[in-house]
């Protein structure tokens, strides 16, 4: 079983975001980055399948040099090798354009399964895994809460999360592309041995020159023109003062609300 | 025609009410842009839903009846919808950004070489130019997105972006539209829908909920919030990451994949307020948020907020509540 896991590096969830001077993007100079959360679950799911059935787990990440941190995290946990698609021309495109670059690389690499996180914390497109399936001509299923490779490794059963507590199992022939929901497993920590081993593992770099994509195929069809903090729809009364003062004021309010 | 086409979502013969939000977006855009409005309903034996949709203001409801659309599959729905789009040649295709739409719309768009503008919260129309507003960074920042594409342009709107109750009534004509699908094209085999049986905690009836999020940092710290819940005689709830990590059981989860609650008081501790959580609690009568990030989206919907360190504020709050209770 050969599983490609697409991993994205995103600003840490507790990073305080600021908008740049031109109002076109965030100030990304001193940001802390993490592996996109559902992607970490995708890596774990792939590793568990490999431990059961054998095979290979390949991390694939698109982004600037800093994403090597995210790649190495996957390698340290037990992925076999990685592909780093790295080219400034591929940054900040829309989901379709980026998926086109990834699909070409993954298509040449070959695979039984593609795992992606269900969406990224930054752009939140929630599309890459589905588009990869379409471009590579394989079926896709999203928001997986369980993945079971069937005997003979010809098909996979996926437990999809629907809304309001509903679920549904789907059976897909392999190869397939599946987007992974957070919480379907318990991601492991890298061991010291794993971290040492990772240093010897291959990270193959791919640039735009290695791809046969025309400029037209990479032209984004949607562009962010301006970013801003959301305008508050409700007037929030901010209670200030020290922790003790704020707590006392809040208790007064709770009494007024008759919840105390 | 070159109008607006709205995708109507049904599953197992039931209309998803969020469809009316997309229809309302379509009604507004069609009035502002002078475009016709159609709705496409895909399924098998769903005529009554088409009749229901026909009571809304629109030009035409296209009923796409096909046995291969009885159970939802991304293959069937994207192939069928593509044929509908080719037949009707709409300028815009609007969808509600549900879990079902997320599953097939990116595929549909990619199959036509299009880029779905997903999960938009509003739009701006200036001198005939349409700009979409999307949330990025989990709702912390809004982005104005411009379109650089030819028709059809596919746009999905977040649940709650429009008030479905405001949809205009009227009468639309129902027309059948046939699509060609074969069993071999449907690669996925769906099974029955089900719910996990172990939902033992019912938070929908709670009067007060103290809810905990990622800001709590570790499982040991959950006790801090439990003390607050005890002091307030409240039930404890959580955002998804807390349940994913196993710090609280799954049946404590509030949000799109958990329970939808409407207590008298909802006290959100260390919860940033990502949309997936907010949809499950925004109908609380009063929302109080404690969070260290003043820009956290939870403060967009909170009535009262304290910006600061929950590890200082929550114990102080417990103390003040105990004091108030002792004073009677």
């Amino acid at each position: 079983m050969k599983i490609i896991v697409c991993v994205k590096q995103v600003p840490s969830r507790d990073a305080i975001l600021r908008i740049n001077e031109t109002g076109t993007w965030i100030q990304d100079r001193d940001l802390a980055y993490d592996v996109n959360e559902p992607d970490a679950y995708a890596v774990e799911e792939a590793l568990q399948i490999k431990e059961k059935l054998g095979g290979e787990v390949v991390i694939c990440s698109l982004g600037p040099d800093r994403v090597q941190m995210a790649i190495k995290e996957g390698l340290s946990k037990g992925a076999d090798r990685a592909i780093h698609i790295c080219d400034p021309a591929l940054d900040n495109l829309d989901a379709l354009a980026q998926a086109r670059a990834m699909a070409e690389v993954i298509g040449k690499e070959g695979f039984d399964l593609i795992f992606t996180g269900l969406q990224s914390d930054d752009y939140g497109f929630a599309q890459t895994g589905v588009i990869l399936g379409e471009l590579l001509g394989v079926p896709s299923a999203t928001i997986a809460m369980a993945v079971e490779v069937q005997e003979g490794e010809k098909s996979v059963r996926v437990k999809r999360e629907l809304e309001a507590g509903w679920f549904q199992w789907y059976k897909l022939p392999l190869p397939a592309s599946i987007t992974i929901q957070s919480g379907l497993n318990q991601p492991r920590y890298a061991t010291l041995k794993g971290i040492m081993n990772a240093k010897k593992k291959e990270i193959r770099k791919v640039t735009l020159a290695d791809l046969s994509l025309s400029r037209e195929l990479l032209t984004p069809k949607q562009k962010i023109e301006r970013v801003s903090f959301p305008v508050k729809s409700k007037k929030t009364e901010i209670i200030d003062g020290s922790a003790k003062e704020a707590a006392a004021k809040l208790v007064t309010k709770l009494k007024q609300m008759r919840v105390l | 025609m070159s109008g607006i086409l709205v995708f109507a979502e049904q599953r197992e013969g039931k209309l998803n009410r969020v469809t009316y939000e997309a229809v309302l977006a379509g009604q507004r855009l069609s009035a502002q842009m002078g475009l016709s409005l159609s709705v496409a309903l895909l399924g098998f034996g769903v005529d009554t839903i088409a009749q229901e949709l026909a009571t809304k203001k629109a030009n035409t409801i296209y009923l796409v009846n096909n046995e291969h659309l009885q159970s939802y599959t991304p293959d069937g729905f994207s192939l069928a919808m593509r044929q509908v789009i080719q037949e009707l040649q709409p300028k815009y295709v609007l969808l509600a950004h549900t879990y079902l739409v997320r599953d097939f719309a990116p595929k549909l768009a990619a199959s036509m070489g299009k880029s779905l503008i997903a999960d938009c919260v509003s739009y701006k129309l200036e001198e005939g130019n349409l700009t979409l507003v999307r949330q990025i960074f989990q709702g912390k920042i809004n982005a104005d997105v411009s379109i650089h594409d030819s028709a059809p342009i596919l746009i999905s709107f977040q649940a709650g972006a429009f008030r479905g109750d405001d949809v205009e009534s009227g009468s639309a004509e129902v027309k059948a539209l046939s699509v060609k699908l074969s069993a071999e094209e449907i690669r996925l085999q769906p099974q029955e829908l089900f719910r996990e049986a172990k939902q033992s905690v019912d938070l929908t009836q709670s009067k007060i909920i103290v809810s905990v999020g990622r800001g709590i940092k570790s499982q040991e710290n959950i006790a801090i919030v439990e003390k607050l819940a005890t002091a307030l005689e409240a039930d404890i709830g959580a955002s998804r990451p807390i349940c994913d990590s196993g710090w609280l059981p799954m049946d404590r989860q509030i949000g799109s994949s958990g329970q939808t609650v409407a207590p008298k008081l909802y006290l959100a501790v260390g919860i940033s307020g990502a949309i997936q959580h907010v949809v499950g609690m925004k109908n609380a009568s009063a929302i109080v948020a404690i969070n260290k990030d003043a820009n956290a989206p939870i403060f967009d919907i909170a009535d009262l907020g304290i910006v600061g360190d929950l590890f200082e504020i929550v114990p102080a709050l417990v103390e003040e509540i105990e004091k108030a209770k002792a004073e009677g």
Side-chain angles (χ1 to χ4, degrees), chain A residues 13 37 122-123 134 142 159 161 164 167-171 221-223 225-226 228 236-237 239, chain B residues 72 103 107 115-116 134 137 140 142 144 146 148 189 191 194-196 214 257 299 302-303 305:
Chain A
R13 283 202 173 169
E37 191 169 84
D122 52 2
Y123 288 90
E134 176 62 27
T142 56
K159 180 183 169 189
E161 182 182 302
F167 295 91
Q168 190 172 18
W169 285 95
Y170 278 80
K171 190 175 164 195
K221 295 172 188 294
Q222 48 178 304
K223 269 189 208 156
E225 301 291 343
R226 214 180 133 260
S228 58
T236 305
E237 185 184 340
I239 303 172
Chain B
Y72 165 78
D103 194 60
K107 176 180 173 62
S115 177
L116 169 71
R134 296 186 69 239
F137 297 104
K140 288 180 196 158
N142 280 352
D144 291 356
S146 59
H148 304 267
Q189 296 169 27
Q191 285 157 10
F194 67 98
R195 273 184 143 139
E196 302 278 4
R214 191 184 290 274
S257 46
F299 289 120
D303 300 278

Side-chain angles (χ1 to χ4, degrees), chain A:
Chain A
M1 182 77 15
K2 181 170 177 181
I3 308 174
I4 310 271
V5 188
C6 300
V7 169
K8 189 173 192 186
Q9 194 191 41
V10 295
S12 302
R13 283 202 173 169
D14 54 3
I16 306 281
L17 302 176
R18 293 183 181 84
I19 290 171
N20 69 12
E21 277 173 24
T22 49
T24 51
W25 192 235
I26 55 162
Q27 292 178 15
D28 51 9
R29 216 172 305 145
D30 301 314
L31 275 181
Y33 289 90
D34 276 328
V35 170
N36 186 47
E37 191 169 84
D39 302 6
Y41 288 91
V43 170
E44 178 62 34
E45 196 63 18
L47 292 175
Q48 289 187 12
I49 291 172
K50 180 192 139 180
E51 282 159 3
K52 215 181 287 168
L53 303 172
E56 192 180 23
V57 173
V58 182
I59 304 281
C60 178
S61 188
L62 185 155
D65 286 334
R66 60 170 163 77
V67 313
Q68 294 243 345
M69 284 278 286
I71 290 173
K72 283 175 184 159
E73 193 176 315
L75 294 176
S76 301
K77 288 178 175 181
D80 297 279
R81 57 193 174 86
I83 305 167
H84 179 193
I85 307 171
C86 184
D87 198 303
L90 296 173
D91 292 336
N92 306 317
L93 302 180
D94 62 15
L96 177 64
Q98 287 194 327
R100 278 177 168 149
M102 295 168 76
E104 188 175 330
V105 174
I106 294 170
K108 279 187 197 156
E109 179 66 39
F111 62 94
D112 296 302
L113 274 172
I114 300 170
F115 284 168
T116 59
L118 82 165
Q119 73 183 73
S120 65
D121 279 0
D122 52 2
Y123 288 90
F125 288 132
Q127 298 190 42
T128 304
V130 180
I131 300 175
L132 285 176
E134 176 62 27
L135 296 178
L136 291 164
V138 303
S140 58
T142 56
I143 322 185
M145 280 302 284
V147 178
E148 293 174 358
V149 176
Q150 301 299 98
E151 228 177 85
E153 301 182 15
K154 295 272 185 266
S155 63
V156 62
R157 279 179 84 231
V158 178
K159 180 183 169 189
R160 294 197 53 231
E161 182 182 302
L162 310 178
E163 279 134 338
W166 289 93
F167 295 91
Q168 190 172 18
W169 285 95
Y170 278 80
K171 190 175 164 195
L172 291 75
L174 291 175
S177 176
I178 294 164
T179 82
I180 301 289
Q181 169 69 296
S182 299
L184 88 167
N185 54 37
Q186 287 284 338
R188 69 193 67 187
Y189 292 99
T191 60
L192 190 60
K193 191 171 161 233
I195 294 167
M196 296 310 289
N197 282 344
K199 292 182 177 160
K200 288 173 255 159
K201 291 177 178 171
E202 178 198 50
I203 303 176
R204 178 161 67 90
K205 265 208 180 188
V206 176
T207 66
L208 196 54
D210 303 316
L211 304 174
S212 60
L213 289 169
S214 68
R215 182 174 288 271
E216 199 208 325
L217 286 175
L218 289 174
T219 306
K221 295 172 188 294
Q222 48 178 304
K223 269 189 208 156
I224 293 178
E225 301 291 343
R226 214 180 133 260
V227 299
S228 58
F229 288 111
V231 179
K232 298 190 188 311
S233 50
K234 206 162 168 180
K235 211 171 146 54
T236 305
E237 185 184 340
I238 296 292
I239 303 172
D240 49 19
S242 67
K244 195 175 159 48
E245 288 160 6
K249 284 183 205 168
L250 180 54
V251 165
T252 310
K253 296 275 182 194
L254 295 181
K255 278 188 193 158
Q256 287 165 3
M257 282 180 211
R258 295 178 186 278
V259 291
L260 264 184

Side-chain angles (χ1 to χ4, degrees), chain B residues 184-202:
Chain B
E184 304 82 69
E185 290 173 306
I186 318 285
R187 294 165 293 183
L188 293 89
Q189 296 169 27
Q191 285 157 10
E192 293 299 303
L193 274 77
F194 67 98
R195 273 184 143 139
E196 302 278 4
K198 60 185 178 203
Q199 197 90 326
S200 54
V201 181
D202 181 11

